[in-house]
């Protein structure tokens, strides 16, 4: 779905493309092995996420009963008619950021759009693997929230996961001048996506809570990597006659 945006938004060629690919591959390696390097704060976040998912799970059946009325109450085997529609706002965030960067030929805009794509790809891949492993049936496949290890793909919600990953990176990127607008848009898209997936009876409440936790964690990783790359770029060593020159640059906007 996002493939069309990559070629149209990022005109990187030659060395720049190779550098971007190398950075992305390195990010992917660090992302998928990150639990091996978690510190106390990371484990506390993980424990808090598990507690939130567990609490949401206790309300799964009640929430389903609230939303599964009329045609939504029909068990249709997990048919998700509005999948593309529900993904559209997240895709629009990525595409809009990239197109704005292309229009203004803004390097930071290109970089932010790539970060949004990276967050979406990493979180989406993780959600797909978890969904296959959990095998949980959707609320439009069964009335029981405890049908795990089947052929379902309900847990976690893929749409919610990617929406929170992309929305959080969008909300916390850029300068602080328009931070409140970015947060309204980014977290608004993420929250609305999670709500719609539950209200349409295609996901359990705990699916969306798990997706939100995974998405936010992925966004934190991408933002931290971005900050680390900024620090590395700011401090540079250059060879000069009879020694080395240490230079430091700092962004002012």
């Amino acid at each position: 779905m996002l493939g069309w945006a990559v070629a149209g938004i990022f005109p990187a060629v030659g060395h720049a493309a190779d550098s971007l690919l190398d950075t992305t591959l390195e990010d992917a390696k660090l992302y998928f092995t990150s639990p091996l390097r978690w510190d106390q704060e990371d484990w506390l976040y993980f424990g808090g996420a598990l507690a939130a998912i567990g609490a949401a799970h206790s309300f799964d059946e009640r929430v389903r009963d609230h939303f599964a009325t009329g045609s939504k109450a029909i068990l249709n085997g997990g048919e998700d008619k509005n999948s593309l529609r529900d993904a559209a706002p997240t895709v629009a965030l990525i595409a809009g950021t990239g197109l704005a960067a292309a229009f203004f030929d803004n390097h930071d805009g290109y970089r932010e759009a790539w970060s949004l794509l990276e967050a979406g790809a990493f979180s989406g891949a993780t959600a797909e693997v978890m969904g296959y492993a959990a095998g949980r049936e959707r609320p439009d496949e069964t009335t029981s929230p405890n049908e795990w290890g089947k052929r379902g793909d309900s847990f976690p919600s893929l749409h919610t996961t990617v929406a929170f990953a992309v929305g959080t990176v969008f909300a916390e990127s850029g300068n602080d001048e328009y931070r409140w607008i970015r947060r309204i848009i980014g977290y608004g898209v993420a929250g609305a996506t999670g709500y719609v997936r539950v209200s349409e009876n295609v996901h359990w409440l705990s699916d969306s809570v798990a997706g939100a936790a995974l998405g936010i964690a992925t966004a934190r990783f991408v933002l931290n990597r971005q900050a680390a790359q900024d620090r590395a770029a700011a401090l540079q060593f250059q060879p000069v006659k009879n020694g080395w020159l240490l230079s430091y640059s700092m962004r002012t906007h």
Side-chain angles (χ1 to χ4, degrees):
M1 181 181 296
L2 301 178
W4 67 270
V6 179
I9 294 173
F10 302 100
V13 293
H15 178 73
D18 292 338
S19 177
L20 181 62
L21 178 61
D22 290 342
T23 300
T24 302
L25 291 175
E26 178 66 16
D27 287 351
K29 181 182 74 173
L30 292 174
Y31 173 77
F32 290 109
T33 60
S34 59
L36 300 176
R37 297 179 297 278
W38 281 358
D39 56 20
Q40 184 179 11
E41 181 181 353
D42 294 322
W43 284 108
L44 285 174
Y45 177 88
F46 180 70
L50 289 181
I53 294 167
H57 180 54
S58 67
F59 289 96
D60 275 339
E61 196 167 3
R62 193 180 308 175
V63 171
R64 183 194 184 279
D65 290 342
H66 174 76
F67 288 115
T69 58
S71 61
K72 293 180 182 179
I74 299 174
L75 298 179
N76 59 18
E79 183 179 354
D80 189 359
K81 298 180 179 179
N82 297 317
S83 178
L84 292 177
R85 186 202 68 185
D86 294 345
T90 302
V91 174
L93 272 185
I94 300 173
T97 301
L99 290 173
F103 182 80
F104 293 106
D105 194 21
N106 184 278
H107 176 269
D108 288 341
Y110 286 130
R111 190 160 171 263
E112 180 183 338
W114 187 259
S115 294
L116 297 178
L117 271 173
E118 195 173 68
F122 289 169
S123 63
T126 306
E128 286 280 15
V129 172
M130 290 177 63
Y132 178 81
R136 189 186 198 185
E137 292 190 340
R138 294 172 181 254
D140 55 0
E141 294 177 284
T142 178
T143 58
S144 171
N146 297 310
E147 294 297 326
W148 303 84
K150 308 292 183 180
R151 300 182 63 181
D153 59 351
S154 187
F155 181 91
S157 166
L158 174 62
H159 287 71
T160 305
T161 299
V162 176
F164 268 91
V166 172
T168 301
V169 172
F170 181 86
E172 303 304 331
S173 295
N175 58 52
D176 290 332
E177 184 178 359
Y178 301 106
R179 177 70 59 219
W180 64 277
I181 298 178
R182 281 180 165 271
R183 286 176 174 170
I184 289 175
I185 296 174
Y187 293 128
V189 166
T193 300
Y195 174 81
V196 167
R197 300 302 286 172
V198 174
S199 67
E200 291 178 345
N201 200 39
V202 292
H203 278 291
W204 303 97
L205 175 63
S206 55
D207 295 338
S208 280
V209 172
L214 175 57
I216 292 171
T218 302
R220 288 179 60 198
F221 169 85
V222 171
L223 291 169
N224 287 338
R225 283 290 294 162
Q226 194 175 73
Q229 290 162 10
D230 285 343
R231 289 193 295 271
L235 187 63
Q236 298 179 344
F237 289 90
Q238 297 176 334
V240 295
K241 185 178 180 179
N242 298 325
W244 290 81
L245 172 66
L246 173 64
S247 63
Y248 179 81
S249 61
M250 182 177 63
R251 294 186 181 185
T252 59
H253 63 279

